[in-house]
Amino acid sequence: MPASMKTARRYLMVASAMSLSLSLTAAPAALAADKPSGKPSDKPSASVSPSVTPPANMSTVGGERLGVPGTQADLGTGAPVLPKDLTARSWIVADAESGDVLASHNAHWRLAPASTLKMLFADTVLPKFNKEEQHKVVPSDLAGIGPGSSMVGIKENETYTVHDLWLGVFLRSGNDAVHVLSAMNGGVDQTVKDMNAHAEELQALDTNVVSPDGYDAKKQVSSAYDLTLFARSGLQKKDFREYCSTVRTKFPGETKKNKKGKTTRESFEIQNTNRLLTGDTGLDPYQGIAGVKNGNTTNAGSTFTGVAERDGRVLLVTVMNPEKDEYNEVYKETARLFDWGFQAADKVTPVGELVPPKGAETEGGSKPGATSSASASGATGGKSVAAGASGGSSGVGVALGIIGGVLALVGGGVFLVNRRWPLPELMRRRR
């Protein structure tokens, strides 16, 4: 199909889907439960869902098939069958570079997102601050954090760099770090507005943000499709890629005085809660994994979006709320879908596509939606998968990298990106 016709088809699909999406906003089955979780956002908990079945009418952004309940896949000759015993209420397997959706299951079902919503938070706020900027935490910065939230351990009256805070967001899923960055961004309310506006720009029409950290809140919802859009957009940013692939690093502790009256500030180690990345708690690291974010709350159950590369192909997989009550189930189902996707990629007909942002030029050239972080050219520090096994991530194997010359910074802070949106050769195998 000619590129111009494909672009026109995309916008027709999005336009028709927007009206449907708006009509679904108040659908009872689409809303998260009314009561806050009271559970840590990244630790196993019993899942609670507003409905055990997806709504009959869902958004069709990305293609009509994606709005149809149930599993959508077109297997060609020699294609492997989909994994057995998938229990997630919603999942999607997509090619990160082309945007082709290889298969999906209730892709537009609006469910509580848990901490996977932090991908949208990072994609929205990360470009606004230089990583070297420092901020002294005041009590109001930490106000309103939900009880039982996952925390990185930020202390009042201590000073942190923006770099420190983002490590807290990505590695420990720290709601305290999210609230401090939100305070720097004008407050939680302003950040929520910014996130909702950015979600609309990305054409993530299933998403409604109420709390920037993903903590359970009334009417806070997203979908496997939208979470995949957030990951795809965020992975354009060098800092985002490096933070989400960092396995472990040091985080500033509390300032204390020793017996001699000398002021000291030690640090403590934090490790990424993404178990496919770390190989923690009974799981091996998934070959080629390079991020991006996991989450767990009472309403959401377990959620996860991952990106992995194998033999030059980059896939995104999102899994939401597996019903099977087994430890690490969200990671196990994600790994099975990755395995299937890498085997099936050239043997299936796509059932839809990940749409580009409204401001993206899909025919090539300047893409206003593909901006970098304010400090994209700098190193993030910590121990990143991209740094290889010698950087403290032994066993992780293939991971993220950047091929020089693909992105060129031009006037006005806009990136010039190749035709494929939004991961044009951003990833390469690095052992």
Side-chain angles (χ1 to χ4, degrees):
M1 178 182 294
S4 58
M5 293 180 63
K6 185 174 182 180
T7 301
R9 178 172 62 86
R10 282 176 173 167
Y11 285 104
L12 284 172
M13 287 192 300
V14 172
S16 62
M18 286 180 67
S19 59
L20 174 60
S21 179
L22 291 172
S23 69
L24 294 173
T25 300
L31 302 182
D34 294 352
K35 296 181 180 180
S37 159
K39 296 284 185 180
S41 65
D42 291 291
K43 297 181 181 179
S45 63
S47 62
V48 178
S49 176
S51 173
V52 295
T53 57
N57 296 311
M58 293 182 286
S59 168
T60 56
V61 170
E64 295 290 336
R65 293 279 297 274
L66 301 182
V68 178
T71 301
Q72 308 300 318
D74 284 337
L75 306 183
T77 303
V81 297
L82 283 162
K84 304 296 183 183
D85 198 26
L86 292 175
T87 67
R89 298 188 178 219
S90 176
W91 54 260
I92 191 170
V93 182
D95 187 298
E97 292 186 328
S98 69
D100 289 339
V101 176
L102 307 183
S104 69
H105 181 77
N106 302 324
H108 281 291
W109 191 358
R110 292 176 173 177
L111 298 166
S115 286
T116 46
L117 194 64
K118 289 182 172 79
M119 293 186 295
L120 175 61
F121 171 74
D123 195 38
T124 303
V125 178
L126 195 152
K128 298 186 178 186
F129 304 104
N130 188 289
K131 67 170 71 174
E132 304 303 330
E133 183 175 340
Q134 297 187 347
H135 178 79
K136 185 174 182 179
V137 176
V138 297
S140 60
D141 293 346
L142 300 175
I145 298 176
S149 289
S150 54
M151 310 279 269
V152 68
I154 290 174
K155 302 297 182 181
E156 295 177 5
N157 300 316
E158 293 285 2
T159 298
Y160 301 85
T161 65
V162 168
H163 170 66
D164 295 330
L165 296 172
W166 282 118
L167 287 170
V169 171
F170 277 92
L171 272 68
R172 292 303 304 162
S173 200
N175 288 5
D176 47 355
V178 171
H179 277 252
V180 172
L181 286 162
S182 295
M184 295 175 63
N185 188 52
V188 168
D189 291 344
Q190 182 60 51
T191 301
V192 167
K193 291 179 182 177
D194 291 346
M195 290 172 67
N196 280 317
H198 189 49
E200 184 177 355
E201 164 63 21
L202 295 177
Q203 306 197 64
L205 305 181
D206 299 323
T207 298
N208 183 56
V209 181
V210 178
S211 177
D213 51 21
Y215 193 84
D216 285 339
K218 184 177 181 180
K219 297 186 179 181
Q220 177 152 279
V221 289
S222 191
S223 67
Y225 184 87
D226 284 9
L227 293 176
T228 308
L229 290 182
F230 302 151
R232 194 180 187 219
S233 179
L235 287 166
Q236 290 232 64
K237 300 171 176 63
K238 180 174 185 264
D239 287 351
F240 187 106
R241 295 193 301 274
E242 293 189 0
Y243 286 133
C244 80
S245 66
T246 299
V247 176
R248 61 184 60 86
T249 192
K250 295 291 185 178
F251 192 82
E254 193 171 2
T255 301
K256 298 179 180 179
K257 287 187 177 181
N258 60 23
K259 294 181 180 180
K260 296 182 179 180
K262 184 179 179 180
T263 299
T264 61
R265 189 180 188 187
E266 297 182 352
S267 60
F268 56 93
E269 184 174 276
I270 58 174
Q271 178 173 293
N272 203 308
T273 55
N274 175 355
R275 293 169 195 161
L276 286 187
L277 187 69
T278 63
D280 199 13
T281 62
L283 289 177
D284 293 328
Y286 185 82
Q287 181 185 11
I289 194 72
V292 285
K293 192 69 189 77
N294 57 305
N296 192 294
T297 63
T298 299
N299 293 345
S302 295
T303 61
F304 181 68
T305 296
V307 62
E309 188 271 351
R310 189 177 297 172
D311 297 327
R313 185 181 298 276
V314 185
L315 296 183
L316 285 162
V317 171
T318 295
V319 172
M320 299 187 76
N321 196 349
E323 295 184 14
K324 188 174 182 180
D325 186 18
E326 185 174 314
Y327 198 64
N328 287 331
E329 184 63 22
V330 72
Y331 300 106
K332 294 176 182 178
E333 296 193 15
T334 297
R336 292 200 291 271
L337 286 168
F338 268 129
D339 287 343
W340 175 86
F342 286 122
Q343 296 173 29
D346 295 323
K347 302 171 184 176
V348 298
T349 300
V351 296
E353 64 177 347
L354 301 177
V355 295
K358 290 180 179 179
E361 291 183 18
T362 58
E363 298 309 306
S366 178
K367 292 180 173 58
T371 56
S372 75
S373 69
S375 55
S377 60
T380 58
K383 295 181 180 178
S384 170
V385 176
S390 62
S393 55
S394 178
V396 174
V398 185
L400 284 178
I402 305 165
I403 291 184
V406 175
L407 297 183
L409 189 60
V410 297
V414 177
F415 276 107
L416 187 66
V417 187
N418 283 358
R419 298 183 80 180
R420 287 184 297 175
W421 194 97
L423 290 175
E425 310 297 339
L426 286 182
M427 298 188 180
R428 62 184 169 95
R429 298 170 71 223
R430 181 178 292 179
R431 296 191 180 278

